[in-house]
């Protein structure tokens, strides 16, 4: 189904045929993407054609503006049907993005038990495991037989987000887990205690959501049980939520590394004013910090007056230094994100980057020196001076680029803050200082 086909069927009032097509030939996530291009009337009309299950799943994939349009357009009974079909963690995600008046209406469309669970999830810190977990999981008792466990899964499994891993609890304490695969391939007379796995991974409600997502990714889990401060099981974080968390964290890191304040909205969903607000702070900071570079160059006005050609090498040196620093910082930030690098590896990382920097700087210095001589931009002494400066610049840039993200991580800051914009500025200052110090010494300026 394409956007054009859906619009054609709407115009022809082929509602019954469209309903069947949407149910049989359209994934909810794809439909949500298509509906972004529809006007309000078309959006509401198509949404009302969907079955309850498809409508609820499509609703979870929509952006906040589309959701608000639907909430205002749907009747209380229609809204209640959608809320009943949504998993609790998805409901919480929707509520966190909605204005207060819309939240009130959504809460009124839920039953009292669900409302209590929603309020509990909303109280967890933002970006914590508790804020993204789902409280709908299958709990078994250790004295149950396999046959009884399978019967329970059949009875309640339809309303659970995942049934592939079941959790064994005793007075709400998590004591084990068992996979459906093992239940289906084990004698029905055995007890859950005989087959359950007591060596489990789990997270706490206050753990950072990125840490929990990393555990799920590292160990290839379908879901990770979450316990509270008393080690009582309160929910699970599923793999689809973990993937979403990792995507959001990666987007946030990329934005910060580019000197842009992170935004939860899409590129086209963000207004021009909001784009300006997110980009301007870093640009102002970097522009003003460049004043230091200007001050350093001004202090060497006499040297530039004697040898004006010195100024021509500045962009090449600062550009090379900035690129080298960015390479190192990007690799270290990536290593921190996937758990390959820790702060304790600081000296090992610096030693490795220094060796890389020496190798790179020798090659760059030789190539650049030959270029200077061949293009008549200076004599052998000038080529040597620029080569030495190049080597110093690359080494400084590599060390700064690998060190700052690790220090940021150690003091509790996002390592992405220490990415391209900030590192380039620091390297520029270092490069100019080293360059004119070496030139002044060699040429006695």
């Amino acid at each position: 189904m394409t956007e054009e086909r859906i619009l054609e069927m709407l115009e022809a009032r082929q509602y019954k045929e469209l309903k069947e097509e949407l149910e049989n030939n359209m994934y909810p996530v794809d439909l949500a993407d298509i509906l972004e291009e529809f006007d309000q009337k078309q959006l509401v009309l198509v949404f009302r054609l969907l079955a309850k299950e498809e409508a609820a799943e499509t609703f979870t994939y929509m952006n906040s503006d589309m959701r608000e349009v639907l909430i205002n357009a749907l009747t209380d009974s229609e809204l209640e049907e959608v809320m009943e079909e949504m998993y609790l963690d998805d409901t919480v995600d929707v509520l966190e993005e909605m204005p207060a008046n819309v939240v009130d209406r959504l809460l009124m469309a839920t039953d009292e038990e669900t409302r209590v669970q929603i309020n509990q999830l909303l109280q967890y810190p933002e970006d914590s495991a508790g804020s993204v977990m789902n409280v709908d999981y299958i709990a078994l008792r250790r004295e149950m037989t396999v046959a009884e466990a399978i019967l329970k899964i059949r009875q309640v499994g339809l309303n659970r987000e995942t049934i592939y891993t079941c959790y064994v609890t005793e007075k709400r304490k998590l004591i084990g887990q068992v996979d459906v695969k093992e239940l289906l391939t084990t004698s029905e007379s055995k007890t859950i205690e005989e087959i359950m796995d007591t060596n489990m991974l789990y997270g706490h409600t206050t753990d950072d959501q990125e840490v929990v997502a990393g555990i799920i990714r590292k160990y290839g889990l379908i879901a990770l049980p979450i316990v509270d401060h008393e080690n009582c099981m309160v929910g699970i974080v599923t793999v689809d939520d973990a993937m979403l968390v990792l995507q959001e964290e990666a987007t946030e890191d990329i934005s910060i590394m580019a000197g842009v304040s992170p935004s939860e909205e899409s590129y086209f969903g963000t207004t021009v004013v909001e784009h300006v607000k997110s980009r301007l702070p870093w640009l102002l900071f970097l522009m003003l910090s460049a004043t230091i570079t200007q001050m350093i160059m001004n202090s060497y006005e006499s040297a530039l007056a004697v040898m004006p050609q010195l100024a021509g090498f500045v962009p090449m040196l600062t550009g090379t230094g900035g690129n080298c620093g960015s390479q190192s910082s990007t690799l270290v930030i990536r290593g921190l994100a996937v758990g390959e690098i820790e702060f304790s590896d600081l000296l090992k990382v610096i030693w490795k980057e220094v060796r890389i920097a020496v190798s790179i700087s020798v090659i760059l210095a030789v190539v650049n020196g030959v270029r200077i001589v061949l293009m008549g931009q200076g004599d052998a002494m000038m080529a040597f001076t620029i080569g030495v400066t190049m080597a110093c610049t690359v080494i400084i840039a590599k060390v700064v680029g690998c060190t700052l993200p690790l220090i940021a991580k150690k003091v509790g800051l996002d390592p992405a803050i220490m990415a391209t914009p900030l590192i380039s500025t620091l390297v520029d200052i270092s490069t100019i200082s080293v360059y004119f110090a070496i030139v002044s010494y060699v040429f006695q300026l």
Side-chain angles (χ1 to χ4, degrees):
M1 289 290 288
T2 63
E3 177 184 344
E4 293 75 17
R5 178 59 179 157
I6 294 175
L7 289 173
E8 286 177 6
M9 297 181 76
L10 283 176
E11 291 176 6
R13 298 182 179 275
Q14 297 174 334
Y15 300 135
K16 182 178 179 182
E17 294 81 356
L18 178 56
K19 178 181 175 66
E20 293 175 355
E21 288 284 345
L22 292 175
E23 289 179 1
N24 299 326
N25 300 316
M26 181 65 70
Y27 290 107
V29 63
D30 294 327
L31 180 57
D33 288 338
I34 290 176
L35 292 177
E36 284 189 22
E37 307 301 324
F38 286 18
D39 61 33
Q40 180 174 335
K41 181 179 179 182
Q42 293 166 337
L43 170 63
V44 175
L45 185 55
V46 172
F47 191 80
R48 279 181 165 146
L49 293 175
L50 300 173
K52 289 191 299 183
E53 295 83 0
E54 285 75 18
E57 191 169 357
T58 302
F59 189 79
T60 62
Y61 290 116
M62 291 179 174
N63 60 46
S64 56
D65 291 335
M66 296 167 67
R67 290 170 179 166
E68 190 169 352
V69 167
L70 285 173
I71 292 170
N72 291 327
L74 298 177
T75 65
D76 290 342
S77 59
E78 289 173 328
L79 193 57
E80 187 174 349
E81 288 180 354
V82 172
M83 298 296 288
E84 285 176 355
E85 295 297 328
M86 289 175 61
Y87 293 116
L88 205 58
D89 57 335
D90 293 328
T91 304
V92 171
D93 289 340
V94 171
L95 291 174
E96 288 178 333
E97 297 176 1
M98 293 291 108
N101 61 318
V102 178
V103 171
D104 291 340
R105 184 152 184 255
L106 285 173
L107 289 175
M108 289 177 61
T110 60
D111 57 63
E112 185 175 350
E113 181 182 354
T114 302
R115 204 174 303 132
V116 170
Q117 293 175 326
I118 289 173
N119 288 330
Q120 182 181 356
L121 290 177
L122 288 172
Q123 290 175 0
Y124 288 112
E126 187 179 2
D127 296 335
S128 67
S131 68
V132 295
M133 72 181 180
N134 193 323
V135 298
D136 294 323
Y137 60 91
I138 294 180
L140 304 175
R141 301 189 309 276
R142 67 165 74 196
E143 65 271 12
M144 273 184 169
T145 63
V146 170
E148 291 171 337
I150 293 174
L151 179 59
K152 180 172 182 178
I153 293 172
R154 287 174 179 164
Q155 291 172 339
V156 304
L158 191 62
N159 298 320
R160 301 294 185 266
E161 188 165 359
T162 179
I163 64 170
Y164 304 110
T165 302
C166 304
Y167 301 94
V168 187
T169 58
E170 186 173 60
K171 296 181 180 179
R172 292 187 57 225
K173 302 281 186 181
L174 178 64
I175 60 173
Q177 68 180 32
V178 59
D179 295 332
V180 168
K181 178 181 178 181
E182 190 149 9
L183 290 174
L184 296 177
T185 56
T186 303
S187 170
E188 292 187 347
S189 60
K190 282 190 175 183
T191 63
I192 296 299
E193 187 172 16
E194 293 178 85
I195 63 172
M196 71 180 185
D197 182 9
T198 57
N199 184 24
M200 302 165 298
L201 294 166
Y202 59 88
H204 291 86
T205 53
T206 53
D207 288 346
D208 188 281
Q209 61 179 7
E210 189 175 6
V211 173
V212 169
I215 295 174
I216 293 174
R217 177 194 58 80
K218 180 178 180 180
Y219 294 98
L221 305 176
I222 294 175
L224 182 73
I226 304 297
V227 300
D228 60 16
H229 64 283
E230 296 178 344
N231 286 326
C232 291
M233 186 166 178
V234 290
I236 58 174
V237 174
T238 52
V239 64
D240 59 322
D241 292 323
M243 290 173 63
L244 187 59
V245 166
L246 293 175
Q247 177 184 325
E248 290 173 348
E249 294 293 341
T251 301
E252 181 179 325
D253 288 346
I254 291 171
S255 298
I256 294 175
M257 289 170 68
V260 178
S261 300
S263 173
E264 295 182 358
E265 295 293 335
S266 64
Y267 175 81
F268 290 109
T270 305
T271 65
V272 172
V273 174
E274 290 170 337
H275 273 300
V276 171
K277 288 180 179 179
S278 68
R279 303 183 194 189
L280 191 57
W282 264 112
L283 293 175
L284 284 172
F285 170 77
L286 296 173
M287 181 188 70
L288 295 175
S289 63
T291 306
I292 301 175
T293 305
Q294 181 186 1
M295 292 170 61
I296 295 173
M297 290 191 68
N298 289 341
S299 66
Y300 288 96
E301 281 184 354
S302 57
L304 289 171
V306 176
M307 298 181 68
Q309 68 268 35
L310 293 176
F313 296 107
V314 171
M316 180 268 297
L317 290 170
T318 56
T320 302
N323 290 334
C324 288
S326 298
Q327 287 179 339
S328 297
S329 66
T330 299
L331 292 174
V332 171
I333 290 170
R334 185 261 175 193
L336 288 168
V338 300
E340 290 181 359
I341 300 175
E342 301 291 341
F343 181 77
S344 57
D345 299 320
L346 177 61
L347 294 180
K348 288 170 60 179
V349 172
I350 292 176
W351 174 232
K352 186 161 191 171
E353 287 297 320
V354 167
R355 285 178 291 163
I356 294 170
V358 170
S359 301
I360 289 175
S361 62
V362 169
I363 297 172
L364 292 178
V366 170
V367 172
N368 194 53
V370 173
R371 179 190 68 82
I372 290 172
V373 173
L374 292 179
M375 295 180 67
Q377 295 182 338
D379 55 15
M381 183 58 72
M382 178 62 77
F384 172 77
T385 303
I386 299 300
V388 172
T389 305
M390 177 74 74
C392 294
T393 295
V394 172
I395 293 172
I396 292 172
K398 291 290 185 185
V399 173
V400 170
C402 72
T403 303
L404 288 184
L406 286 166
I407 294 175
K409 182 75 172 180
K410 181 65 176 179
V411 299
L413 297 175
D414 191 333
I417 293 174
M418 303 299 181
T420 305
L422 183 57
I423 287 176
S424 294
T425 301
L426 295 175
V427 170
D428 286 352
I429 295 171
S430 303
T431 300
I432 297 298
S433 301
V434 170
Y435 176 46
F436 281 105
I438 293 174
V439 166
S440 298
Y441 177 79
V442 173
F443 294 102
Q444 298 297 308
L445 299 175

